Amino acid sequence: MFWPGVLVALLLAPGCAVPQSHGTREMAQVLEAIALETDRYPRSNAHANKARVRALRAVQPPSDPEEHVQYASLLGQELLRAGDSEAAIAQFESILRDIEAAPDVFDASYLLGAQDYLALSYLRLGEQDNCVANPNAQRCLLPITAEGVHTLKRGSRAAMGLYQELLTADADDLTSLWLLNLAAMTLGIYPDSVPAQWRVPPQALEAEDDVGRFVDIAPLSGVDVMGLSGGVVMEDLTGDGALDILASSWGLRDPLRFFVNLGQGTFEDRSAHAGLDGLTGGLNMVHADYDNDGDADVLVLRGAWLAQGHPNSLLRNRGDGTFEDVTVQAGLYTLRPTQTAVWTDLDLDGDLDLFIGNESNPQAGWHDCEYYRNLGDGTFEEAAREMGLAVTGYVKAVISGDYNNDGWPDLYVSRYGDPNLLLHNVGGVAFEEVAAVAGVQEPIDSFPAWFWDVDNDGWQDLFVSGWRASAADVAAEYLGHEREDARAKLYRNNQDGTFTDVAGAFRLDRVIFAMGSNFGDLDNDGWLDFYVGTGDPNLRALIPNRMFRNDAGKRFVEVTTSGGFGHLQKGHGVAFGDIDGDGDQDVYAVMGGAFEGDLAMNVLFENPGHGNEWVTLELVGTQSNRSAIGARIRVDVVTEDGRRSIHRTVSAGGSFGASSLWQEVGLGQATAIEALEVYWPALGSVQRLERVSMRQKVRIVEEER
C-alpha cells in the first residue's frame, strides 16, 4: 500500500516552471513509488514488459527441451510487447530451429505457434520502422493508399510470406487472413498480390457515404504526442475562449500533456508550466467545475486492468493555467482499479457529485463502486452504501442521464462479463436497479456506453458497445462470414421507462469493438454521429477505428474510409470539439496500446466543413451546477421544409474521452432559430430565448429565481 506522508522524498523532474502544491508533490511521490515497486516486482503487472524481460533474463533457462521452448516463447512474447521486435524475431527464429531439430518432441501446434509469433514480430517491425519512426498521416489509415505505403518493406514482406504459410496450414485462420491483407496494403501490392482465396474484397472497405476528408493535422498543430492508451479532455481549461487539450498515457512514468490553444490552429505544450510534473499515468480522464469557481477541473483515473489499485488524481484548476492535486484534501484518495467515472448532480443541490466505477475480479479483489457526495466546500463524503450505489463487477463504464425525464439524473453501469445495471434515481435519496425491467442488461461483454438523443425526440437513448472481438471477426464481416464478437446495443427510449434495441434496424450490426469512443455532429446536420476507437492489448488487433454518420435519426451509415478515420492503431480517448472556432467539430483521439512497445501518435482530424448552420452554447449554472451538466436544450429552427427541434443534454459525451461541455449544435439547413429553451436541472426551471442569431457562440447564464 502507498499512503501519502509515509514515503521517502523523491526528486521531481527538473524544469518545473511553477511551484507545486504539497498535494501535487505528495501524489508524485506515491506514483513514483508504485513505478519503482513495479520495476522490482513486475509479475503482477502484465504491461510492465521491459521489467518482465529483465526478470526472465535473470532466470536460468530450463534444460528440458519442451520447457526450454516454453520459456523462450514467453521471453519472445515479452520482447515483442516491450517493443524490441528485432530481438523478438531472433528469439522466435531460434525457437523454430529448436522445434525443427526435435520432431519427436514437438508436434505441429508448436511449429504453427512459433510461426504465428514470428509473423507478428515482423509485422510489428514494419509498423515501428514506418508508422512510429517515420510517420505520415496515411501510414496507419485503412485502406492504405500510395502515400501510406511503407518505405522500409522488410517487416511486412517477411510477415506476408509467413501468413501465407499459416493459411496454407489452416485455411480457416481468419486472423492470419486479415493480417496478410494488411501486410499487402503496406507493401502497395493489395489486392492483386493476395491470392484470391485469401483476399478481402476492396469493395468491402468502401464508405457508404461521403462525409468529406478529415485530415490529421496533429503534426502541424503540435499535438502529435506519442504514447500508449490514455484519455483526453478537450475543454477551455485556460478561460480564454478556445478549446485546449489535456492528454494522458497510462504508462507508470508517462506524463500528462497539457496543450494550450493559441487560437490559430496551433497549440503550445505547457505541461511543465501547468504544475503537472510527476503526475503520471491515467487511462482516462473526466472533467467538470466541481467547486463552482468558473474553471474546469479534471479527475485522472488510474489502475484499470491491473491487479493492484492505484490512486486517482483530482486536479483543481487554479484559473491561471496551472493545476494542483487536491485528491487527499478533497477526501477522494483510495487505491482501487478504475478508468471510468462521471460527474453529475445526483441530489440536485447545485454541486457536482462523483460516481466512480471500480473493477472487481479475483486478482484485483472486490471493489465497490464509489459515490462521493459534494459537500460544497471543496470536499466530498463517500455515501455509496447509503444511496444503494455500492455495486460491484468488472465495471468498464459509468454514465449519467435522466432516462425517464423525471428531473433526476440516473446512472448506467456497464460491466464486462455480467449483466449491466440501470440505477434509477429515487428523488435524490436512493437508487433502485431496474435494468431487467428496462431491457438494457446487454451486451454481457460490454465496455463504453453513453446516453444521447439519437432520434431528436427529447428522450435520452442509450448506446452500449460490446467488447469481445478479434481481427478474425473483422475479416469475417468483410467476407460476409459468421462472427463471434459481442454485438453493440442501441437502445431507443420507449418513453415509458423501457427501451427497445434497434441496433439492427439502425445498421449497427458491425464489429464495433470499442474502447475509446464519443459522439458529436460531424456535418452540423443536427443529428448525432459517433466514433469508436478499437482497443485490445493483443498486438494482432489491428482493427480499424470506425466512424458512423447518423442519417436523420433512422439509421447509421459508415463514413470511416471517406472521412479518413480508419486508423489501425489502438484507439482510446476520443473528444469532439470546435478546435479552430470555425463552427464545426473536429476530432482528437489518443492512440496507442497497453503494452509498453505499442506506441502510436495521437491524431487531430480537422473538419472540412459542410456548409450547414450552427450555434455554440456555453451554459453557466447559478442555482444549478456551474458546468450545467444535466441541463437539457431544445433549439427550434425554421427550414424551407418546415420547423424542426434539435435536442441536446450537457455532458462530456461518451465514457472514454471527454468532449467540451460547450454544446456545439448543428442546425442543418435552418434559415433562423425561432426559439431556444434551456431546462436547468436544480430547480427544474425553463429559460427561453428568442431571436438568437446563428453562427455564433452564445453564453447563457441561468436566471436567478
Side-chain angles (χ1 to χ4, degrees):
M1 289 236 175
F2 302 95
W3 294 99
V6 299
L7 301 168
V8 296
L10 296 170
L11 292 175
L12 296 178
C16 183
V18 296
Q20 290 185 310
S21 69
H22 174 73
T24 300
R25 294 193 303 271
E26 213 166 40
M27 182 60 75
Q29 292 172 2
V30 170
L31 297 174
E32 178 61 16
I34 290 173
L36 286 170
E37 178 161 324
T38 303
D39 290 342
R40 291 192 292 266
Y41 308 107
R43 181 185 294 271
S44 64
N45 188 333
H47 308 279
N49 307 111
K50 294 175 183 177
R52 290 165 75 91
V53 166
R54 291 193 297 270
L56 282 168
R57 282 178 165 164
V59 174
Q60 181 67 32
S63 57
D64 176 81
E66 191 170 6
E67 291 180 359
H68 180 85
V69 164
Q70 291 172 349
Y71 162 84
S73 179
L74 181 59
L75 176 57
Q77 292 175 51
E78 291 297 346
L79 286 166
L80 181 60
R81 292 169 177 174
D84 195 345
S85 298
E86 296 272 18
I89 289 168
Q91 186 76 6
F92 288 113
E93 287 179 338
S94 176
I95 291 170
L96 278 172
R97 290 192 295 270
D98 291 341
I99 292 172
E100 291 167 350
D104 55 328
V105 176
F106 302 104
D107 60 27
S109 65
Y110 280 89
L111 182 65
L112 291 174
Q115 286 179 324
D116 176 61
Y117 271 109
L118 181 58
L120 182 60
S121 299
Y122 272 116
L123 194 66
R124 283 292 300 156
L125 180 65
E127 288 182 76
Q128 291 171 313
D129 280 349
N130 298 274
C131 298
V132 177
N134 186 27
N136 69 33
Q138 305 301 318
R139 285 231 161 103
C140 292
L141 296 181
L142 185 77
I144 296 170
T145 61
E147 294 82 2
V149 169
H150 288 184
T151 55
L152 297 177
K153 302 180 185 296
R154 55 178 182 151
S156 288
R157 186 179 292 122
M160 190 171 177
L162 286 161
Y163 283 124
Q164 290 188 75
E165 290 183 30
L166 289 165
L167 284 163
T168 299
D170 180 5
D172 295 325
D173 180 2
L174 291 185
T175 294
S176 291
L177 183 149
W178 174 245
L179 297 178
L180 169 67
N181 281 266
L182 286 186
M185 288 183 201
T186 66
L187 294 170
I189 58 175
Y190 167 86
D192 295 341
S193 294
V194 179
Q197 69 270 28
W198 301 327
R199 185 184 304 149
V200 171
Q203 59 268 27
L205 307 178
E206 294 175 359
E208 298 168 346
D209 194 13
D210 187 1
V211 74
R213 192 73 174 183
F214 285 64
V215 176
D216 175 16
I217 61 169
L220 298 175
S221 300
V223 293
D224 56 336
V225 59
M226 182 174 289
L228 299 172
S229 52
V232 58
V233 166
M234 184 188 291
E235 187 58 88
D236 180 9
L237 296 170
T238 57
D240 63 357
L243 295 179
D244 309 304
I245 292 172
L246 183 67
S248 69
S249 173
W250 90 316
L252 297 182
R253 291 189 174 89
D254 292 351
L256 293 173
R257 303 295 293 271
F258 180 38
F259 298 102
V260 173
N261 194 332
L262 301 181
Q264 290 151 353
T266 60
F267 291 77
E268 182 176 78
D269 187 342
R270 295 189 189 166
S271 307
H273 175 81
L276 298 173
D277 282 352
L279 299 180
T280 53
L283 187 55
N284 194 14
M285 298 183 289
V286 291
H287 71 290
D289 184 1
Y290 80 92
D291 52 2
N292 286 338
D293 66 351
D295 305 302
D297 313 294
V298 178
L299 181 72
V300 182
L301 297 154
R302 300 188 181 98
W305 303 114
L306 304 178
Q308 178 187 44
H310 292 181
N312 302 321
S313 280
L314 178 60
L315 306 181
R316 190 182 74 83
N317 190 333
R318 290 167 160 168
D320 59 359
T322 69
F323 298 84
E324 61 175 334
D325 192 305
V326 296
T327 312
V328 175
Q329 69 188 65
L332 298 181
Y333 188 93
T334 60
L335 291 169
R336 296 179 178 179
T338 184
Q339 43 63 214
T340 184
V342 63
W343 294 102
T344 184
D345 186 0
L346 292 179
D347 52 9
L348 297 182
D349 64 353
D351 296 309
L352 286 171
D353 309 304
L354 178 64
F355 184 63
I356 301 176
N358 293 313
E359 295 178 355
S360 293
N361 63 73
Q363 290 73 40
W366 301 98
H367 301 283
D368 293 347
C369 292
E370 299 163 276
Y371 163 57
Y372 289 98
R373 180 185 290 123
N374 193 327
L375 300 181
D377 59 0
T379 68
F380 298 80
E381 66 174 0
E382 212 287 315
R385 291 195 177 277
E386 171 191 332
M387 297 287 285
L389 294 175
V391 297
T392 59
Y394 209 78
V395 177
K396 302 312 298 174
V398 293
I399 55 173
S400 177
D402 181 8
Y403 77 92
N404 57 358
N405 279 357
D406 67 352
W408 294 95
D410 310 296
L411 295 166
Y412 186 79
V413 180
S414 168
R415 303 191 298 178
Y416 184 74
D418 285 302
N420 300 322
L421 308 174
L422 178 60
L423 301 167
H424 171 229
N425 189 339
V426 184
V429 296
F431 285 78
E432 60 178 350
E433 207 288 297
V434 296
V437 173
V440 293
Q441 290 183 303
E442 296 181 342
I444 300 301
D445 293 332
S446 62
F447 200 148
W450 58 76
F451 283 108
W452 60 345
D453 189 351
V454 74
D455 50 7
N456 264 326
D457 65 353
W459 292 76
Q460 292 283 282
D461 308 300
L462 175 64
F463 178 83
V464 192
S465 178
W467 201 74
R468 187 186 72 249
S470 68
D473 291 307
V474 176
E477 178 184 330
Y478 291 147
L479 294 169
H481 295 178
E482 290 295 319
R483 307 187 337 244
E484 298 180 357
D485 56 303
R487 308 299 169 89
K489 298 290 185 180
L490 176 61
Y491 292 112
R492 174 184 273 159
N493 197 321
N494 295 327
Q495 304 181 16
D496 61 0
T498 70
F499 294 78
T500 298
D501 177 24
V502 295
F506 272 67
R507 303 183 68 248
L508 290 180
D509 187 22
R510 322 288 183 98
V511 179
I512 302 178
F513 186 37
M515 192 173 193
S517 53
N518 220 320
F519 59 87
D521 186 353
L522 291 176
D523 49 6
N524 275 345
D525 65 352
W527 302 97
L528 291 173
D529 316 304
F530 73 102
Y531 188 47
V532 294
T534 54
D536 186 327
N538 191 334
L539 295 174
R540 298 175 187 81
L542 295 174
I543 299 173
N545 300 293
R546 306 180 78 165
M547 183 72 83
F548 296 92
R549 188 182 72 80
N550 188 337
D551 185 9
K554 299 175 183 177
R555 63 172 187 160
F556 283 94
V557 292
E558 184 165 8
V559 294
T560 299
T561 54
S562 69
F565 297 110
H567 211 293
L568 288 166
Q569 299 300 321
K570 313 295 170 56
H572 291 83
V574 174
F576 284 71
D578 184 6
I579 284 290
D580 46 12
D582 62 355
D584 48 41
Q585 291 191 310
D586 312 293
V587 182
Y588 188 83
V590 173
M591 312 303 295
F595 295 126
E596 284 183 323
D598 200 2
L599 298 164
M601 306 291 285
N602 294 350
V603 296
L604 174 59
F605 295 114
E606 182 181 29
N607 196 317
H610 298 83
N612 286 326
E613 298 297 333
W614 56 274
V615 65
T616 296
L617 306 176
E618 180 187 4
L619 272 57
V620 180
T622 54
Q623 282 81 32
S624 301
N625 68 88
R626 177 132 185 173
S627 295
I629 289 174
R632 299 202 301 265
I633 300 164
R634 191 184 79 195
V635 184
D636 298 327
V637 298
V638 180
T639 75
E640 291 182 357
D641 297 324
R643 289 172 171 77
R644 63 177 288 208
S645 296
I646 300 167
H647 296 267
R648 294 290 182 268
T649 300
V650 178
S651 77
S655 63
F656 207 130
S659 298
S660 169
L661 296 173
W662 298 351
Q663 295 304 291
E664 297 158 342
V665 184
L667 305 176
Q669 293 296 307
T671 57
I673 295 176
E674 185 176 69
L676 189 158
E677 289 188 350
V678 178
Y679 172 90
W680 294 97
L683 300 182
S685 60
V686 176
Q687 188 170 346
R688 182 179 174 89
L689 290 79
E690 298 180 352
R691 295 184 295 277
V692 176
S693 298
M694 300 184 293
R695 291 182 175 260
Q696 66 166 332
K697 180 182 175 185
V698 180
R699 191 170 191 260
I700 303 175
V701 180
E702 182 179 10
E703 293 177 335
E704 299 287 342
R705 294 293 175 96

